[in-house]
Amino acid sequence: MSLPETKERILDSAEYLFARKGFHNTSLRAITGRAAVNLAAVNYHFGSKEALLEAVFERRLVPLNKVRRKNLEVVRETARREGRLPGVEESLRAFIEPTLAFRKSGTGAEDFITLVGRAMSDPDDTVRNVFIRHIAPLFYMLFDILREALPELSPDMLFWRLQFAIGAMGHAICMAGKSYSLPEGVTPVSDVESLTAMLLDFVVAGMERA
Amino acid sequence: MSLPETKERILDSAEYLFARKGFHNTSLRAITGRAAVNLAAVNYHFGSKEALLEAVFERRLVPLNKVRRKNLEVVRETARREGRLPGVEESLRAFIEPTLAFRKSGTGAEDFITLVGRAMSDPDDTVRNVFIRHIAPLFYMLFDILREALPELSPDMLFWRLQFAIGAMGHAICMAGKSYSLPEGVTPVSDVESLTAMLLDFVVAGMERA
DNA sequence: GTCTATAGATTGATAGAC
DNA sequence: GTCTATCAATCTATAGAC
């Protein structure tokens, strides 16, 4: 059966397993087994395991980045039209909100966004480089808008604060929906809206710190 | 040559490689090759690759945790003696400062602290579980002190804010000393004192956000 | 304790029939 | 495009000489 969905099935399976076990700890046999396709299909459709990883990132990251870029452009243009500086909160929201919201955007999106949360600090160059290549332009764009929003902050300080914010977001993504052992009396909400609101509160406060 | 330092050489080499390539992407051959010891020495001294990972964490984490625990106890006792609540900044500092300072505490410590920065969100269960087992008690201790410091904050909210802070710290650790491509005009400082000060500023602001 | 040698399993990738 | 079969490399782990 030469189903046109074979590539998609492989991508879904790889996304699922990469997010849960990591790239190097996931074999092509595990991927094709879960996808119920033949082992050789991966190399036929993608060429190599590494190219498959690239494709897993690309499938979701291209549309997600389009939304984030659009949001940032709107923030910039609106501020310019109204003759004011872009706000810190609206700038960070333009980047963070679509990222966390993406989690419930479709089947497997949750796996992907977990993968994203981990990719930034992945020990493996293969994973991290593929990810950084896709995310760097948006990072610079966000950096530039925050430069305008916080002109009194030195570039160095802004750089680090933005790194802190990104670290907080990535870790929040990794933790969301997991069930680690929790302190007494804690039953943490993890619906997207609440988490986004809490995270934005936190990073805006840190970013605006005098 | 039956040098008593063989175990140490293996630990150093494993620490170096785990931090740079990840656990599953590092072979025992690479470890023993770099350590200039025989392949079989790993299984003789540690029993298995996984037990070696455990030992890598244990060697550094036990003394580091002793410092962090001591610091947190001092914060708690000092506040109690002075009849006041523990402060947010001193509580977070008691945890964060020794962690970042550990980076320059000796040969290889930098590698280890990178490993720590990544362990929290490591895709691999083996790595993450070993780490969480060592860090969980201190996390609860810090959580409890911050409960006293911020009594008006709901446990859920505090839990997430602490997660954000830990995510920021972990990412900062991973980024420190790396040379990623940077925005125009940014030459980020990464000496321990400056980074600690900036990070504390950021997370205290986020934690105290009204 | 250190070494050689190798077992035993698993890996990514490919050739070639259909 | 999909399959079987397999190659060549790699891996962790261990047995046994020294």
Side-chain angles (χ1 to χ4, degrees):
Chain A
M1 33 170 138
S2 81
L3 293 173
E5 41 171 275
T6 297
K7 277 185 81 164
E8 292 291 320
R9 294 171 64 82
I10 293 173
L11 285 170
D12 289 341
S13 175
E15 183 171 72
Y16 179 93
L17 290 167
F18 287 161
R20 281 169 177 71
K21 316 259 302 166
F23 177 69
H24 285 284
N25 198 26
T26 299
S27 68
L28 292 182
R29 282 169 178 78
I31 293 168
T32 53
R34 188 183 158 79
V37 302
N38 189 271
L39 170 62
V42 168
N43 279 282
Y44 176 79
H45 286 287
F46 299 97
S48 72
K49 188 186 180 185
E50 193 166 328
L52 170 59
L53 176 69
E54 172 82 39
V56 166
F57 273 109
E58 178 141 356
R59 175 174 64 155
R60 309 272 195 197
L61 225 38
V62 167
L64 174 57
N65 279 350
K66 191 177 280 185
V67 174
R68 295 196 282 205
R69 179 173 296 113
K70 172 74 178 171
N71 284 6
L72 286 171
E73 274 161 5
V74 167
V75 167
R76 201 202 315 253
E77 283 310 308
T78 303
R80 187 166 296 166
R81 191 165 353 100
E82 296 176 2
R84 57 172 177 83
L85 297 175
V88 173
E89 172 158 3
E90 60 179 349
S91 301
L92 288 169
R93 182 189 298 277
F95 186 86
I96 290 175
E97 205 168 55
T99 310
L100 269 69
F102 195 76
R103 173 171 276 276
K104 56 170 186 181
S105 72
T107 312
E110 192 165 336
D111 291 327
F112 177 73
I113 218 66
T114 301
L115 197 56
V116 165
R118 284 168 173 164
M120 275 175 305
S121 62
D122 199 288
D124 186 72
D125 286 339
T126 309
V127 177
R128 210 172 55 253
N129 288 341
V130 167
F131 180 71
I132 288 177
R133 185 160 10 105
H134 277 101
I135 203 68
L138 269 165
F139 173 78
Y140 293 143
M141 195 172 167
L142 177 56
F143 183 82
D144 287 340
I145 291 180
L146 287 171
R147 282 282 286 157
E148 298 176 44
L150 294 163
E152 74 283 2
L153 216 58
S154 78
D156 280 20
M157 183 75 92
L158 176 61
F159 172 80
W160 276 111
R161 288 191 180 180
L162 183 50
Q163 291 298 331
F164 300 153
I166 286 177
M169 183 185 78
H171 187 60
I173 285 172
C174 290
M175 294 293 296
K178 294 286 180 307
S179 56
Y180 296 106
S181 70
L182 297 167
E184 196 89 19
V186 176
T187 49
V189 295
S190 59
D191 65 287
V192 176
E193 291 78 12
S194 306
L195 189 55
T196 305
M198 286 190 288
L199 177 60
L200 266 174
D201 253 21
F202 187 90
V203 297
V204 167
M207 201 69 75
E208 290 179 337
R209 174 80 157 190
Chain B
M1 32 171 137
S2 82
L3 294 172
E5 42 171 276
T6 296
K7 276 184 83 162
E8 292 291 320
R9 296 171 62 82
I10 293 172
L11 286 170
D12 290 341
S13 175
E15 183 171 72
Y16 179 93
L17 289 167
F18 287 162
R20 282 169 176 71
K21 316 255 308 164
F23 178 68
H24 285 284
N25 198 27
T26 299
S27 67
L28 293 181
R29 281 171 175 77
I31 293 169
T32 54
R34 188 185 159 79
V37 302
N38 189 272
L39 171 61
V42 168
N43 278 282
Y44 176 79
H45 286 287
F46 299 96
S48 70
K49 187 186 180 184
E50 193 164 329
L52 170 59
L53 176 69
E54 172 82 39
V56 166
F57 274 109
E58 178 139 358
R59 175 174 64 154
R60 309 271 194 197
L61 226 37
V62 167
L64 174 57
N65 278 350
K66 191 177 280 184
V67 174
R68 295 195 284 205
R69 178 174 296 111
K70 172 76 177 168
N71 284 5
L72 286 171
E73 274 162 4
V74 167
V75 167
R76 201 200 318 251
E77 282 311 307
T78 303
R80 187 167 297 166
R81 191 165 354 100
E82 295 176 2
R84 57 171 177 83
L85 297 176
V88 174
E89 173 158 4
E90 61 180 349
S91 301
L92 288 169
R93 182 190 299 276
F95 186 87
I96 289 176
E97 204 168 55
T99 310
L100 268 68
F102 195 77
R103 172 171 279 276
K104 54 171 186 180
S105 72
T107 313
E110 192 166 336
D111 291 329
F112 177 72
I113 218 66
T114 301
L115 198 54
V116 165
R118 285 169 172 164
M120 275 175 306
S121 61
D122 200 288
D124 187 71
D125 286 339
T126 309
V127 177
R128 210 172 54 253
N129 288 341
V130 167
F131 181 72
I132 288 176
R133 186 160 9 104
H134 277 101
I135 203 68
L138 270 165
F139 173 78
Y140 293 143
M141 195 172 167
L142 177 56
F143 182 82
D144 287 341
I145 292 181
L146 287 171
R147 282 282 287 156
E148 298 177 43
L150 294 163
E152 74 284 1
L153 216 57
S154 79
D156 280 20
M157 183 75 91
L158 176 61
F159 173 79
W160 276 112
R161 288 190 180 181
L162 183 50
Q163 291 299 330
F164 300 154
I166 286 178
M169 184 184 79
H171 186 60
I173 286 172
C174 289
M175 293 293 296
K178 295 287 180 306
S179 56
Y180 296 106
S181 70
L182 297 167
E184 197 88 20
V186 176
T187 50
V189 294
S190 59
D191 66 288
V192 175
E193 291 78 11
S194 306
L195 189 55
T196 305
M198 285 189 289
L199 177 60
L200 267 174
D201 252 20
F202 186 90
V203 296
V204 167
M207 201 69 75
E208 290 179 337
R209 172 78 157 192

